[in-house]
Amino acid sequence: MRWQGRRESGNVEDRRGSRGGLVAGGGIGAIVIALLVYFLGGDPSQVMNTQPGAAQRQMSPEEQAREDEAAKFVKIVLAETEDVWNKIFSENNQQYKEPRLVLFTEMVQSACGNATSASGPFYCPADQQVYIDLSFYDELKNNLNAPGDFAMAYVIAHEVGHHVQNLLGISEKVQRMRGRLSETEYNKLSVKLELQADFLAGVWAHHTQQMAGIIEPGDIEEALNAANAIGDDRLQQQSRGYVVPDAFTHGTSAQRVYWFKKGFQTGDINQGDTFNSNQ
């Protein structure tokens, strides 16, 4: 991805280092399992209990430099999403309200509740903010086998896709159904919401390539690999050893790949009605 030297978003709040003396309960194994279960959209207020703990390890200068480079990358990708969605909303006679992005370390407080890095990146509609712990780069590469800068760009674009859904009133409609449906039926709606966010990430990739030409050969494959790696069926198989379709909340690997590809190939926001599709 050709990202160096491009504009950085000013809508970023850096809370790195503000851990508040709290760490995720259950140890590293629990963190990895929780990441697999709650990745991309889990309820951050229910991710894991927290407990007072542990001293913080000081990063080496090399580690600090790598993290600062990752923070810069996130700011640039967020700026690219701003450019695309401002354009699309304007073309549809609407005004895009840019989300804020919060960088945090280990634990963060949002309007949706407290969350740890185990939640993975998430979007909170109550404060219209995206939250990312940069350690997720390593989780994506090492534990989910989805390396590459565009894999992370896809993750950011997916969370911004949830912000677009929030602005369009789609998220609120789904949330209102929570008390009216069984858990299984509501999970089906959750899957459709997540797949639409994947579609919107693809729409972003389509337009950012047209507008800025930042996508290089192999980038889309990185995004598709990430989408494949985080399907409910694959994550459940990894964490449980078996698959429970009724517990799906994000969609299968094949579904996630399908909707991202459709968004990227069409670039047409009107073709992403996952709620009335058989796919």
PDB file of all heavy atoms in Angstrom, residues 154-168:
ATOM      1  N   TYR A 154      -7.965  -2.823   5.873  1.00  0.00           N
ATOM      2  CA  TYR A 154      -9.306  -3.410   5.778  1.00  0.00           C
ATOM      3  C   TYR A 154     -10.015  -3.396   7.131  1.00  0.00           C
ATOM      4  O   TYR A 154     -11.207  -3.084   7.220  1.00  0.00           O
ATOM      5  CB  TYR A 154      -9.197  -4.844   5.234  1.00  0.00           C
ATOM      6  CG  TYR A 154     -10.309  -5.764   5.676  1.00  0.00           C
ATOM      7  CD1 TYR A 154     -11.596  -5.647   5.165  1.00  0.00           C
ATOM      8  CD2 TYR A 154     -10.072  -6.767   6.621  1.00  0.00           C
ATOM      9  CE1 TYR A 154     -12.614  -6.505   5.574  1.00  0.00           C
ATOM     10  CE2 TYR A 154     -11.075  -7.619   7.033  1.00  0.00           C
ATOM     11  CZ  TYR A 154     -12.341  -7.482   6.511  1.00  0.00           C
ATOM     12  OH  TYR A 154     -13.353  -8.314   6.930  1.00  0.00           O
ATOM     13  N   VAL A 155      -9.283  -3.729   8.195  1.00  0.00           N
ATOM     14  CA  VAL A 155      -9.874  -3.733   9.533  1.00  0.00           C
ATOM     15  C   VAL A 155     -10.367  -2.327   9.897  1.00  0.00           C
ATOM     16  O   VAL A 155     -11.484  -2.156  10.400  1.00  0.00           O
ATOM     17  CB  VAL A 155      -8.849  -4.239  10.570  1.00  0.00           C
ATOM     18  CG1 VAL A 155      -9.365  -4.021  11.987  1.00  0.00           C
ATOM     19  CG2 VAL A 155      -8.545  -5.710  10.347  1.00  0.00           C
ATOM     20  N   ILE A 156      -9.554  -1.327   9.648  1.00  0.00           N
ATOM     21  CA  ILE A 156      -9.947   0.055   9.940  1.00  0.00           C
ATOM     22  C   ILE A 156     -11.156   0.445   9.105  1.00  0.00           C
ATOM     23  O   ILE A 156     -12.122   1.042   9.605  1.00  0.00           O
ATOM     24  CB  ILE A 156      -8.766   1.008   9.675  1.00  0.00           C
ATOM     25  CG1 ILE A 156      -7.597   0.684  10.607  1.00  0.00           C
ATOM     26  CG2 ILE A 156      -9.191   2.473   9.851  1.00  0.00           C
ATOM     27  CD1 ILE A 156      -6.292   1.350  10.224  1.00  0.00           C
ATOM     28  N   ALA A 157     -11.123   0.103   7.816  1.00  0.00           N
ATOM     29  CA  ALA A 157     -12.238   0.447   6.928  1.00  0.00           C
ATOM     30  C   ALA A 157     -13.522  -0.258   7.352  1.00  0.00           C
ATOM     31  O   ALA A 157     -14.619   0.296   7.200  1.00  0.00           O
ATOM     32  CB  ALA A 157     -11.881   0.082   5.488  1.00  0.00           C
ATOM     33  N   HIS A 158     -13.411  -1.481   7.873  1.00  0.00           N
ATOM     34  CA  HIS A 158     -14.582  -2.208   8.383  1.00  0.00           C
ATOM     35  C   HIS A 158     -15.207  -1.452   9.557  1.00  0.00           C
ATOM     36  O   HIS A 158     -16.433  -1.277   9.608  1.00  0.00           O
ATOM     37  CB  HIS A 158     -14.167  -3.606   8.819  1.00  0.00           C
ATOM     38  CG  HIS A 158     -15.244  -4.383   9.508  1.00  0.00           C
ATOM     39  ND1 HIS A 158     -16.016  -5.318   8.877  1.00  0.00           N
ATOM     40  CD2 HIS A 158     -15.671  -4.361  10.802  1.00  0.00           C
ATOM     41  CE1 HIS A 158     -16.882  -5.835   9.738  1.00  0.00           C
ATOM     42  NE2 HIS A 158     -16.691  -5.282  10.922  1.00  0.00           N
ATOM     43  N   GLU A 159     -14.376  -0.998  10.495  1.00  0.00           N
ATOM     44  CA  GLU A 159     -14.916  -0.265  11.646  1.00  0.00           C
ATOM     45  C   GLU A 159     -15.518   1.067  11.220  1.00  0.00           C
ATOM     46  O   GLU A 159     -16.551   1.494  11.748  1.00  0.00           O
ATOM     47  CB  GLU A 159     -13.822  -0.057  12.690  1.00  0.00           C
ATOM     48  CG  GLU A 159     -13.242  -1.346  13.272  1.00  0.00           C
ATOM     49  CD  GLU A 159     -14.281  -2.294  13.836  1.00  0.00           C
ATOM     50  OE1 GLU A 159     -15.373  -1.832  14.231  1.00  0.00           O
ATOM     51  OE2 GLU A 159     -14.019  -3.508  13.863  1.00  0.00           O
ATOM     52  N   VAL A 160     -14.895   1.738  10.275  1.00  0.00           N
ATOM     53  CA  VAL A 160     -15.480   2.973   9.737  1.00  0.00           C
ATOM     54  C   VAL A 160     -16.789   2.652   9.011  1.00  0.00           C
ATOM     55  O   VAL A 160     -17.729   3.456   9.021  1.00  0.00           O
ATOM     56  CB  VAL A 160     -14.481   3.690   8.807  1.00  0.00           C
ATOM     57  CG1 VAL A 160     -15.141   4.877   8.103  1.00  0.00           C
ATOM     58  CG2 VAL A 160     -13.261   4.173   9.609  1.00  0.00           C
ATOM     59  N   GLY A 161     -16.865   1.463   8.415  1.00  0.00           N
ATOM     60  CA  GLY A 161     -18.124   1.032   7.808  1.00  0.00           C
ATOM     61  C   GLY A 161     -19.250   0.982   8.830  1.00  0.00           C
ATOM     62  O   GLY A 161     -20.397   1.334   8.529  1.00  0.00           O
ATOM     63  N   HIS A 162     -18.939   0.566  10.057  1.00  0.00           N
ATOM     64  CA  HIS A 162     -19.955   0.602  11.122  1.00  0.00           C
ATOM     65  C   HIS A 162     -20.383   2.035  11.422  1.00  0.00           C
ATOM     66  O   HIS A 162     -21.552   2.292  11.741  1.00  0.00           O
ATOM     67  CB  HIS A 162     -19.413  -0.057  12.390  1.00  0.00           C
ATOM     68  CG  HIS A 162     -19.391  -1.549  12.343  1.00  0.00           C
ATOM     69  ND1 HIS A 162     -20.484  -2.299  11.979  1.00  0.00           N
ATOM     70  CD2 HIS A 162     -18.398  -2.448  12.619  1.00  0.00           C
ATOM     71  CE1 HIS A 162     -20.190  -3.587  12.032  1.00  0.00           C
ATOM     72  NE2 HIS A 162     -18.926  -3.703  12.414  1.00  0.00           N
ATOM     73  N   HIS A 163     -19.450   2.966  11.320  1.00  0.00           N
ATOM     74  CA  HIS A 163     -19.805   4.377  11.534  1.00  0.00           C
ATOM     75  C   HIS A 163     -20.761   4.844  10.435  1.00  0.00           C
ATOM     76  O   HIS A 163     -21.737   5.553  10.717  1.00  0.00           O
ATOM     77  CB  HIS A 163     -18.538   5.229  11.538  1.00  0.00           C
ATOM     78  CG  HIS A 163     -18.796   6.696  11.689  1.00  0.00           C
ATOM     79  ND1 HIS A 163     -19.360   7.238  12.832  1.00  0.00           N
ATOM     80  CD2 HIS A 163     -18.591   7.743  10.838  1.00  0.00           C
ATOM     81  CE1 HIS A 163     -19.472   8.555  12.690  1.00  0.00           C
ATOM     82  NE2 HIS A 163     -19.023   8.882  11.494  1.00  0.00           N
ATOM     83  N   VAL A 164     -20.499   4.460   9.201  1.00  0.00           N
ATOM     84  CA  VAL A 164     -21.395   4.803   8.099  1.00  0.00           C
ATOM     85  C   VAL A 164     -22.787   4.232   8.360  1.00  0.00           C
ATOM     86  O   VAL A 164     -23.799   4.917   8.176  1.00  0.00           O
ATOM     87  CB  VAL A 164     -20.828   4.285   6.761  1.00  0.00           C
ATOM     88  CG1 VAL A 164     -21.837   4.461   5.629  1.00  0.00           C
ATOM     89  CG2 VAL A 164     -19.519   5.005   6.424  1.00  0.00           C
ATOM     90  N   GLN A 165     -22.851   2.978   8.808  1.00  0.00           N
ATOM     91  CA  GLN A 165     -24.146   2.375   9.144  1.00  0.00           C
ATOM     92  C   GLN A 165     -24.843   3.161  10.240  1.00  0.00           C
ATOM     93  O   GLN A 165     -26.069   3.340  10.213  1.00  0.00           O
ATOM     94  CB  GLN A 165     -23.936   0.931   9.611  1.00  0.00           C
ATOM     95  CG  GLN A 165     -23.478  -0.019   8.523  1.00  0.00           C
ATOM     96  CD  GLN A 165     -23.093  -1.374   9.086  1.00  0.00           C
ATOM     97  OE1 GLN A 165     -22.423  -1.467  10.119  1.00  0.00           O
ATOM     98  NE2 GLN A 165     -23.519  -2.448   8.427  1.00  0.00           N
ATOM     99  N   ASN A 166     -24.085   3.634  11.203  1.00  0.00           N
ATOM    100  CA  ASN A 166     -24.655   4.409  12.297  1.00  0.00           C
ATOM    101  C   ASN A 166     -25.241   5.721  11.779  1.00  0.00           C
ATOM    102  O   ASN A 166     -26.359   6.110  12.145  1.00  0.00           O
ATOM    103  CB  ASN A 166     -23.576   4.690  13.344  1.00  0.00           C
ATOM    104  CG  ASN A 166     -24.126   5.282  14.630  1.00  0.00           C
ATOM    105  OD1 ASN A 166     -25.241   4.983  15.040  1.00  0.00           O
ATOM    106  ND2 ASN A 166     -23.349   6.143  15.261  1.00  0.00           N
ATOM    107  N   LEU A 167     -24.506   6.401  10.910  1.00  0.00           N
ATOM    108  CA  LEU A 167     -24.985   7.669  10.359  1.00  0.00           C
ATOM    109  C   LEU A 167     -26.248   7.473   9.519  1.00  0.00           C
ATOM    110  O   LEU A 167     -27.120   8.349   9.498  1.00  0.00           O
ATOM    111  CB  LEU A 167     -23.891   8.310   9.499  1.00  0.00           C
ATOM    112  CG  LEU A 167     -22.621   8.769  10.208  1.00  0.00           C
ATOM    113  CD1 LEU A 167     -21.649   9.377   9.208  1.00  0.00           C
ATOM    114  CD2 LEU A 167     -22.926   9.772  11.327  1.00  0.00           C
ATOM    115  N   LEU A 168     -26.350   6.340   8.856  1.00  0.00           N
ATOM    116  CA  LEU A 168     -27.499   6.074   7.994  1.00  0.00           C
ATOM    117  C   LEU A 168     -28.685   5.500   8.754  1.00  0.00           C
ATOM    118  O   LEU A 168     -29.745   5.249   8.168  1.00  0.00           O
ATOM    119  CB  LEU A 168     -27.095   5.114   6.869  1.00  0.00           C
ATOM    120  CG  LEU A 168     -26.030   5.642   5.888  1.00  0.00           C
ATOM    121  CD1 LEU A 168     -25.670   4.566   4.866  1.00  0.00           C
ATOM    122  CD2 LEU A 168     -26.524   6.905   5.179  1.00  0.00           C
TER     123      LEU A 168
END
